[in-house]
Amino acid sequence: MNAHTHRVAGHRLPRLDGVGKVTGKHVYAADFKLPGMLYGKILRSARAHALIKRIDTSRAAAIAGVRGIITAADIPQVRYGAAVRDTTVFATDRVLFMGHAIAAIAATSLEIAERAIEAITVEYQDLPALYDPEEALTSDIRIHPDWESYKALPIISRKGNIAGQARIHVGDVEGTFATAYKVYEHRFTTSLQHPGYTEPRVATADWDANGIVTVWCNTQLPFDTQTTLAEILDLPAARVRVTVPGIGGGFGGKLRIGVEHFAALLARKTARPVKVMSTSEEELTAALPRQASVVLLKTAVDKDGHLLARSGRIIVDCGAYAGSGPGTAAIALQVMAGPYKTGALAFESIAVYTNKVHSGSFRAPAGPMANFAMESQIDMIAKDLGLDALDMRLRNIVKEGDPGPSGETHISVSIEECLRKAADAIGWHDRNPEPGRGKGIACSWWMTTGGSSGVYVKINPDGSATLVSGAVEIGTGALTGAAQVLAEELSLDLTDINVTGVDTQAAPFDYGAQGSRTAFSVGNACLAAARELRRQMFEIAAKQLQAPIEDMKLQDKHVVAGNKSISIAELARISRLAGGGLIAHGTAISPAPAYDPTRVNNHPLPVWNTPSYHAHAVDLSVDQATGRVTINRYVVAQDVGFAINPTYIEGQIEGGVAQGIGQALSEEIVYQDGRVMNANLTDYKMPTAMDVPEIESIIVECRSAAGPYGAKGVGEPPCIEPPAAIGNAIAAAIGCWPNSLPMTAEKIVASMRARHP
């Protein structure tokens, strides 16, 4: 089906959930209430690393209104986790970070629960703590002394305080360094960043008379949450039901279990429904932020700026538990390679335990950290060689058919188009239009995460369709995009598609709202379901119209054969009477491309599915006295394959850039001696509407072979390049590069003073 023939897909249609959200009628998990509901609160550690000598809950239990208290002693000791099973519900013998859960209380009001938490006494014996991941690599202190007994994915390589270690190696790196025209070495650091969703993590749990627990929560991965809860509660997964009323943003911070297990355990203890919701302080001290990192890069070039060999190491601070750290660190290796011709590579990732909050999978995990380092260094090299930074990129970028870092083949490559369009849009030819003003550019590539998606589609007697998916709408509009694909295939209007909420008891499996995959994967499943529905409709229509199936097509909500037609609504009514209705199950999974396994070691995601390409360009001014950055223009050129709905794609680009600006200039969870010093939304500096400029989006369509109508993943790429693009523009404005995130005004002033003492 060619783009110009689309009647629904590719058009700027309103989101299906839009009216409910703008009118306040949409029910979020935070709004959810049940009769007789209790309120849960968590006691969290005030020490970073200490033995628990004694927990006294007697004073708390005596408070009127307290209905239940649980600690590690009250539940089975189960270890869970994505890559490494190192996590427990509560601290057992030791606390591993300030904010570590020690006990949970359910009470008749939130105020009583908070008072009861304060009444619990914990006696500690302090242990030496590790806050620096580089120090943790060489320290004799073990944050997990019994790590060898933890189960882990077979691909994960561990030792000491290392939770995971991966490598990509291609060619003779050291030999090339020895003979290259020039070799450059740089070090970069990035900080912890909270995902910044509007709605905190929240869950309400209730057990029915048959021993089935239902959890209403705002998880991005309902089926993963179901599986993890089943492990913790020692139940078959079928006895755990997870539903998502609505989710006020996730950005990867709600991929893994957050407070659902506390709600379920307290509900079982009290035989009452229990709601647990994080506070802003808990979000900043005990949620799942983007990891802090240290990136070391070494690059060899010839005199014309061609990249000959590169080596690099990224050290990712996992915090107290591995969480997503091993996978996040490994993904950084492909980002460090970038959309550049491979040459010789030796990249290593190390995920390290420290006594800080355990980290998660914030939007484009590892993307901004690795890209900030790699794209900053490209500019540094270009300046030293006397080359234009755009020209240097253009002479090194991959072309169609070039090999990638894992030996895969780059296809549907659009990086040159993205770079040229972004640069042209900000007038790249004049990088320093006036003193204190500069322009920067950065580019990258990113995956469309795989995993399976299933949908059920039912045609209703009025001719509308109901779409049942296990994918959560997290605010991106991705399910509207999938519904546009379904409507397109069934010749319906978008408003004829009803998308249900997610309920693990009724919905088919979906790998989850993560990795830029939802519209892509659920859209493909809708294509499969539509094919089956067309088959069913054509068989019935053949009898009703007395026409051969091969002559039939769907057109304007009818099956048409020559000059005869019958409405989809009529076919649905006939099928209900004769065969149970028009119902189809569609599934989709994207097989990983071929790659060279000899190039990768212990990498949990060694090759990327359906990559996209993108470039960001920024024009900004730096106040020479204060270091304050003002962004004058910000342009994104992003390859989306096929724009299923340009409006929601632009929304994703604008939101991603806003998060990237925050990481670049202001956002940082600040630690001092193991304690978060800015655990509130006043001191944790997320950009406001006053800080974010108008974002100009240039949608590039270089179609993929795998996505619906050629679509590629959209959601994560926009937050990858902002730190590097902004850093390069700052350098163009002041003549030197801040090498750590965030690039605060104080750091910028310090850089200028160091250059001109």
Side-chain angles (χ1 to χ4, degrees), residues 489-490 524-536 584 587:
E489 293 296 306
L490 296 177
N524 276 339
C526 286
L527 288 174
R531 281 194 297 272
E532 170 58 18
L533 285 169
R534 284 198 301 272
R535 185 193 66 76
Q536 294 177 27
T587 61

Side-chain angles (χ1 to χ4, degrees), residues 68-292:
I69 302 175
I70 50 175
T71 68
D74 302 307
I75 62 174
Q77 295 310 302
V78 175
R79 291 195 178 274
Y80 57 93
V84 182
R85 292 177 175 269
D86 56 5
T87 312
T88 55
V89 175
F90 296 110
T92 52
D93 59 327
R94 294 186 304 148
V95 294
L96 300 181
F97 66 101
M98 289 192 192
H100 202 163
I102 296 175
I105 285 179
T108 52
S109 75
L110 196 57
E111 294 75 17
I112 292 172
E114 289 170 345
R115 187 150 38 98
I117 285 291
E118 294 174 0
I120 297 175
T121 301
V122 183
E123 183 181 325
Y124 300 101
Q125 179 183 325
D126 285 331
L127 296 169
L130 295 170
Y131 307 127
D132 184 324
E134 290 180 293
E135 180 187 347
L137 282 176
T138 57
S139 175
D140 292 332
I141 301 167
R142 288 289 171 267
I143 292 172
H144 289 273
D146 51 351
W147 65 266
E148 290 171 300
S149 67
Y150 301 165
K151 293 180 180 177
L153 296 177
I155 198 73
I156 302 298
S157 172
R158 301 174 290 156
K159 63 181 178 182
N161 287 321
I162 296 176
Q165 193 166 6
R167 292 182 177 88
I168 292 179
H169 194 286
V170 184
D172 181 6
V173 174
E174 291 304 321
T176 309
F177 282 148
T179 59
Y181 173 68
K182 276 197 173 184
V183 177
Y184 299 86
E185 293 189 65
H186 296 97
R187 171 189 169 92
F188 304 87
T189 60
T190 71
S191 300
L192 286 166
Q193 182 192 14
H194 188 273
Y197 35 73
T198 306
E199 179 192 33
R201 296 172 302 158
V202 58
T204 304
D206 192 25
W207 295 73
D208 69 14
N210 297 316
I212 294 175
V213 60
T214 301
V215 181
W216 295 265
C217 60
N218 53 12
T219 177
Q220 292 177 241
L221 305 185
F223 290 91
D224 184 78
T225 298
Q226 178 191 42
T227 300
T228 305
L229 282 172
E231 293 173 2
I232 291 169
L233 299 169
D234 192 24
L235 288 174
R239 301 187 75 78
V240 178
R241 179 185 179 193
V242 175
T243 73
V244 182
I247 178 168
F251 310 113
K254 294 173 182 171
L255 288 183
R256 307 301 170 192
I257 201 161
V259 295
E260 294 88 350
H261 46 340
F262 299 127
L265 288 163
L266 286 169
R268 182 161 67 180
K269 173 81 171 181
T270 60
R272 295 266 294 273
V274 176
K275 182 175 187 175
V276 179
M277 183 161 68
S278 295
T279 63
S280 294
E281 181 177 356
E282 286 177 305
E283 284 292 338
L284 288 159
T285 57
L288 298 167
R290 189 189 298 286
Q291 295 88 350

Side-chain angles (χ1 to χ4, degrees), residues 260-465:
E260 294 88 350
H261 46 340
F262 299 127
L265 288 163
L266 286 169
R268 182 161 67 180
K269 173 81 171 181
T270 60
R272 295 266 294 273
V274 176
K275 182 175 187 175
V276 179
M277 183 161 68
S278 295
T279 63
S280 294
E281 181 177 356
E282 286 177 305
E283 284 292 338
L284 288 159
T285 57
L288 298 167
R290 189 189 298 286
Q291 295 88 350
S293 71
V294 177
V295 186
L296 309 170
L297 284 181
K298 183 177 180 181
T299 299
V301 298
D302 65 15
K303 59 181 173 47
D304 296 318
H306 293 108
L307 302 173
L308 303 178
R310 288 181 288 161
S311 69
R313 168 186 273 199
I314 182 166
I315 301 167
V316 163
D317 187 346
C318 291
Y321 295 117
S324 303
T328 295
I331 292 167
L333 305 186
Q334 278 102 331
V335 181
M336 284 196 284
Y340 296 114
K341 291 172 184 173
T342 296
L345 300 178
F347 290 148
E348 177 185 40
S349 68
I350 304 175
V352 187
Y353 290 121
T354 62
N355 292 115
K356 292 191 287 193
V357 60
H358 53 299
S359 302
S361 298
F362 183 178
R363 191 176 190 171
M369 299 112 81
N371 184 260
F372 171 62
M374 184 263 292
E375 287 291 277
S376 295
Q377 191 186 56
I378 293 282
D379 261 44
M380 293 172 180
I381 294 170
K383 182 176 183 181
D384 185 68
L385 294 176
L387 299 173
D388 178 83
L390 174 62
D391 289 342
M392 181 169 170
R393 286 175 172 82
L394 291 173
R395 67 187 59 180
N396 284 289
I397 52 174
V398 293
K399 308 287 187 183
E400 191 78 16
D402 281 346
S406 300
E408 72 275 48
T409 301
H410 281 280
I411 56 175
S412 303
V413 177
S414 55
I415 187 64
E416 180 175 355
E417 181 180 357
C418 292
L419 277 166
R420 291 191 184 279
K421 285 185 171 178
D424 288 346
I426 64 160
W428 179 259
H429 60 280
D430 186 7
R431 281 197 75 186
N432 299 100
E434 60 191 38
R437 186 170 172 184
K439 297 175 183 178
I441 200 163
C443 65
S444 192
W445 67 320
W446 192 252
M447 75 190 95
T448 305
T449 298
S452 66
S453 287
V455 298
Y456 301 145
V457 180
K458 178 178 68 172
I459 305 295
N460 301 310
D462 62 357
S464 66

Side-chain angles (χ1 to χ4, degrees), residues 550-569:
E550 54 268 22
D551 291 348
M552 294 181 178
K553 62 181 179 179
L554 280 174
Q555 184 177 315
D556 295 328
K557 308 182 187 181
H558 287 72
V559 172
V560 177
N563 60 359
K564 301 177 183 178
S565 68
I566 184 170
S567 71
I568 291 175

